Short mmCIF file of all heavy atoms in Angstrom, two decimals:
data_model
loop_
_atom_site.label_atom_id
_atom_site.label_comp_id
_atom_site.label_asym_id
_atom_site.label_seq_id
_atom_site.Cartn_x
_atom_site.Cartn_y
_atom_site.Cartn_z
N ASN N 264 113.46 230.61 105.82
CA ASN N 264 114.04 230.05 104.62
C ASN N 264 115.17 230.87 104.16
O ASN N 264 115.06 232.09 104.05
CB ASN N 264 112.95 229.99 103.60
CG ASN N 264 113.43 229.25 102.38
OD1 ASN N 264 114.44 228.70 102.26
ND2 ASN N 264 112.54 229.22 101.27
N SER N 266 116.80 230.61 101.32
CA SER N 266 116.97 230.49 99.90
C SER N 266 116.50 231.81 99.29
O SER N 266 115.30 232.19 99.55
CB SER N 266 116.21 229.32 99.33
OG SER N 266 116.30 229.27 97.92
N SER N 270 112.55 230.97 92.36
CA SER N 270 111.62 229.90 92.49
C SER N 270 111.19 229.63 93.93
O SER N 270 110.02 229.32 94.18
CB SER N 270 112.26 228.59 91.84
OG SER N 270 111.33 227.56 91.89
N ALA N 271 112.15 229.65 94.83
CA ALA N 271 111.90 229.38 96.22
C ALA N 271 110.97 230.51 96.81
O ALA N 271 110.18 230.15 97.65
CB ALA N 271 113.20 229.29 96.98
N ILE N 272 111.23 231.77 96.46
CA ILE N 272 110.42 232.83 96.93
C ILE N 272 108.96 232.69 96.43
O ILE N 272 107.94 232.92 97.19
CB ILE N 272 111.02 234.19 96.46
CG1 ILE N 272 112.29 234.43 97.12
CG2 ILE N 272 110.08 235.40 96.73
CD1 ILE N 272 113.17 235.56 96.54
N VAL N 273 108.79 232.38 95.14
CA VAL N 273 107.44 232.12 94.64
C VAL N 273 106.69 230.98 95.42
O VAL N 273 105.50 231.08 95.78
CB VAL N 273 107.40 231.84 93.11
CG1 VAL N 273 106.14 231.44 92.67
CG2 VAL N 273 107.79 233.14 92.45
N LEU N 274 107.44 229.93 95.61
CA LEU N 274 106.81 228.74 96.25
C LEU N 274 106.51 229.07 97.74
O LEU N 274 105.45 228.57 98.31
CB LEU N 274 107.77 227.52 96.25
CG LEU N 274 107.84 226.82 94.81
CD1 LEU N 274 108.92 225.81 94.93
CD2 LEU N 274 106.55 226.36 94.34
N ASP N 275 107.31 229.81 98.43
CA ASP N 275 106.98 230.27 99.80
C ASP N 275 105.77 231.15 99.75
O ASP N 275 105.00 231.02 100.69
CB ASP N 275 108.20 231.00 100.42
CG ASP N 275 109.29 230.05 100.78
OD1 ASP N 275 109.03 228.83 100.88
OD2 ASP N 275 110.45 230.52 101.05
N THR N 276 105.76 232.05 98.75
CA THR N 276 104.57 233.00 98.73
C THR N 276 103.29 232.19 98.50
O THR N 276 102.18 232.36 99.11
CB THR N 276 104.73 233.98 97.59
OG1 THR N 276 105.99 234.62 97.82
CG2 THR N 276 103.52 234.90 97.51
N LEU N 277 103.32 231.16 97.62
CA LEU N 277 102.11 230.32 97.35
C LEU N 277 101.74 229.54 98.56
O LEU N 277 100.50 229.48 98.96
CB LEU N 277 102.36 229.35 96.22
CG LEU N 277 102.47 229.99 94.79
CD1 LEU N 277 102.95 228.96 93.82
CD2 LEU N 277 101.27 230.69 94.41
N ARG N 278 102.69 228.92 99.36
CA ARG N 278 102.35 228.27 100.61
C ARG N 278 101.80 229.16 101.62
O ARG N 278 100.96 228.71 102.49
CB ARG N 278 103.58 227.49 101.08
CG ARG N 278 103.83 226.23 100.23
CD ARG N 278 104.92 225.36 100.98
NE ARG N 278 106.11 226.15 101.20
CZ ARG N 278 107.28 226.03 100.43
NH1 ARG N 278 107.23 225.16 99.49
NH2 ARG N 278 108.33 226.65 100.68
N ALA N 279 102.19 230.43 101.70
CA ALA N 279 101.82 231.34 102.73
C ALA N 279 100.32 231.76 102.50
O ALA N 279 99.63 232.28 103.44
CB ALA N 279 102.64 232.57 102.87
N LYS N 280 99.83 231.80 101.26
CA LYS N 280 98.48 232.29 101.04
C LYS N 280 97.44 231.24 101.11
O LYS N 280 97.76 230.04 101.11
CB LYS N 280 98.52 232.91 99.58
CG LYS N 280 99.55 233.95 99.47
CD LYS N 280 99.06 235.01 98.47
CE LYS N 280 100.06 236.00 98.28
NZ LYS N 280 99.75 237.24 99.05
N GLU N 281 96.17 231.66 101.17
CA GLU N 281 95.01 230.67 101.20
C GLU N 281 94.93 230.21 99.87
O GLU N 281 94.80 230.93 98.81
CB GLU N 281 93.76 231.45 101.67
CG GLU N 281 92.50 230.53 101.61
CD GLU N 281 91.23 231.33 101.83
OE1 GLU N 281 91.34 232.52 102.09
OE2 GLU N 281 90.24 230.74 101.72
N ILE N 282 94.78 228.83 99.62
CA ILE N 282 94.62 228.23 98.36
C ILE N 282 93.21 227.93 98.08
O ILE N 282 92.51 227.29 98.86
CB ILE N 282 95.44 226.96 98.26
CG1 ILE N 282 97.00 227.29 98.43
CG2 ILE N 282 95.22 226.24 97.00
CD1 ILE N 282 98.02 226.11 98.40
N LYS N 301 97.09 218.45 101.10
CA LYS N 301 98.32 217.94 100.53
C LYS N 301 99.00 218.91 99.59
O LYS N 301 100.17 218.76 99.29
CB LYS N 301 98.07 216.57 99.81
CG LYS N 301 97.77 215.41 100.73
CD LYS N 301 97.64 214.19 99.83
CE LYS N 301 97.23 213.07 100.70
NZ LYS N 301 97.09 211.78 99.87
N ILE N 302 98.34 219.87 99.10
CA ILE N 302 98.85 220.75 98.03
C ILE N 302 100.04 221.52 98.60
O ILE N 302 101.08 221.65 97.89
CB ILE N 302 97.75 221.57 97.49
CG1 ILE N 302 96.81 220.86 96.64
CG2 ILE N 302 98.41 222.75 96.57
CD1 ILE N 302 95.57 221.61 96.16
N LYS N 303 99.90 222.06 99.78
CA LYS N 303 101.02 222.86 100.32
C LYS N 303 102.26 222.07 100.55
O LYS N 303 103.34 222.47 100.37
CB LYS N 303 100.55 223.56 101.59
CG LYS N 303 99.62 224.69 101.35
CD LYS N 303 99.38 225.58 102.61
CE LYS N 303 98.54 226.63 102.29
NZ LYS N 303 98.37 227.62 103.22
N GLY N 304 101.98 220.76 100.89
CA GLY N 304 103.15 219.82 101.18
C GLY N 304 103.85 219.52 99.78
O GLY N 304 105.10 219.51 99.69
N LEU N 305 103.14 219.32 98.80
CA LEU N 305 103.64 219.04 97.43
C LEU N 305 104.34 220.29 96.87
O LEU N 305 105.19 220.09 96.01
CB LEU N 305 102.47 218.60 96.52
CG LEU N 305 101.90 217.19 96.85
CD1 LEU N 305 100.74 216.90 95.94
CD2 LEU N 305 102.91 216.10 96.74
N LEU N 306 103.91 221.49 97.27
CA LEU N 306 104.55 222.62 96.69
C LEU N 306 105.99 222.78 97.28
O LEU N 306 106.87 223.44 96.65
CB LEU N 306 103.79 223.82 97.14
CG LEU N 306 102.59 224.22 96.27
CD1 LEU N 306 101.78 225.44 96.83
CD2 LEU N 306 102.80 224.31 94.82
N GLY N 307 106.27 222.15 98.36
CA GLY N 307 107.68 222.19 98.97
C GLY N 307 108.71 221.56 98.02
O GLY N 307 109.87 222.02 97.98
N ASP N 308 108.27 220.63 97.21
CA ASP N 308 109.24 220.03 96.27
C ASP N 308 108.98 220.33 94.76
O ASP N 308 109.41 219.75 93.85
CB ASP N 308 109.18 218.44 96.37
CG ASP N 308 109.65 217.98 97.71
OD1 ASP N 308 110.54 218.61 98.34
OD2 ASP N 308 109.15 216.92 98.17
N GLY N 309 108.03 221.42 94.62
CA GLY N 309 107.68 221.78 93.32
C GLY N 309 108.73 222.69 92.67
O GLY N 309 109.70 223.13 93.23
N ASP N 310 108.51 222.75 91.31
CA ASP N 310 109.48 223.65 90.43
C ASP N 310 108.56 224.67 89.75
O ASP N 310 107.60 224.29 89.10
CB ASP N 310 110.18 222.89 89.52
CG ASP N 310 111.20 221.94 90.12
OD1 ASP N 310 111.86 222.39 91.08
OD2 ASP N 310 111.34 220.80 89.67
N VAL N 311 108.98 225.92 89.85
CA VAL N 311 108.15 226.91 89.10
C VAL N 311 108.76 227.05 87.73
O VAL N 311 109.99 227.06 87.54
CB VAL N 311 108.31 228.35 89.84
CG1 VAL N 311 107.62 229.47 89.03
CG2 VAL N 311 107.89 228.35 91.27
N VAL N 327 103.42 225.71 88.27
CA VAL N 327 104.30 224.94 89.15
C VAL N 327 104.01 223.47 88.78
O VAL N 327 103.08 222.89 88.63
CB VAL N 327 103.86 225.18 90.60
CG1 VAL N 327 104.65 224.36 91.55
CG2 VAL N 327 103.90 226.62 91.05
N PHE N 341 98.64 228.72 89.00
CA PHE N 341 98.23 229.45 90.15
C PHE N 341 98.02 230.94 89.64
O PHE N 341 98.77 231.44 88.89
CB PHE N 341 99.16 229.52 91.28
CG PHE N 341 99.29 228.22 92.04
CD1 PHE N 341 100.11 227.23 91.64
CD2 PHE N 341 98.50 228.05 93.18
CE1 PHE N 341 100.18 226.07 92.40
CE2 PHE N 341 98.55 226.88 93.91
CZ PHE N 341 99.40 225.95 93.46
N LEU N 343 97.80 234.45 91.36
CA LEU N 343 98.11 234.94 92.70
C LEU N 343 97.57 236.39 92.92
O LEU N 343 97.85 237.23 92.09
CB LEU N 343 99.67 234.98 92.70
CG LEU N 343 100.36 235.30 93.99
CD1 LEU N 343 100.05 234.21 95.09
CD2 LEU N 343 101.77 235.42 93.90
N GLU N 346 95.54 238.21 98.55
CA GLU N 346 95.25 237.36 99.79
C GLU N 346 95.27 235.88 99.42
O GLU N 346 95.36 235.06 100.28
CB GLU N 346 93.80 237.76 100.25
CG GLU N 346 93.79 239.08 100.94
CD GLU N 346 93.08 240.08 100.09
OE1 GLU N 346 92.31 239.68 99.23
OE2 GLU N 346 93.33 241.34 100.29
N THR N 347 95.02 235.45 98.13
CA THR N 347 94.75 234.08 97.82
C THR N 347 95.77 233.63 96.71
O THR N 347 96.20 234.44 95.84
CB THR N 347 93.38 233.87 97.42
OG1 THR N 347 93.08 234.64 96.21
CG2 THR N 347 92.44 234.22 98.50
N ALA N 348 95.81 232.38 96.62
CA ALA N 348 96.42 231.65 95.41
C ALA N 348 95.40 230.70 94.88
O ALA N 348 95.03 229.78 95.54
CB ALA N 348 97.72 231.01 95.87
#
Side-chain angles (χ1 to χ4, degrees):
N264 186 3
S266 179
S270 181
I272 293 171
V273 169
L274 291 173
D275 285 343
T276 303
L277 291 174
R278 281 191 300 259
K280 300 209 181 262
E281 177 189 357
I282 295 179
K301 287 184 183 178
I302 292 173
K303 287 191 179 189
L305 293 172
L306 285 176
D308 295 328
D310 293 319
V311 179
V327 179
F341 287 88
L343 190 64
E346 291 107 21
T347 63

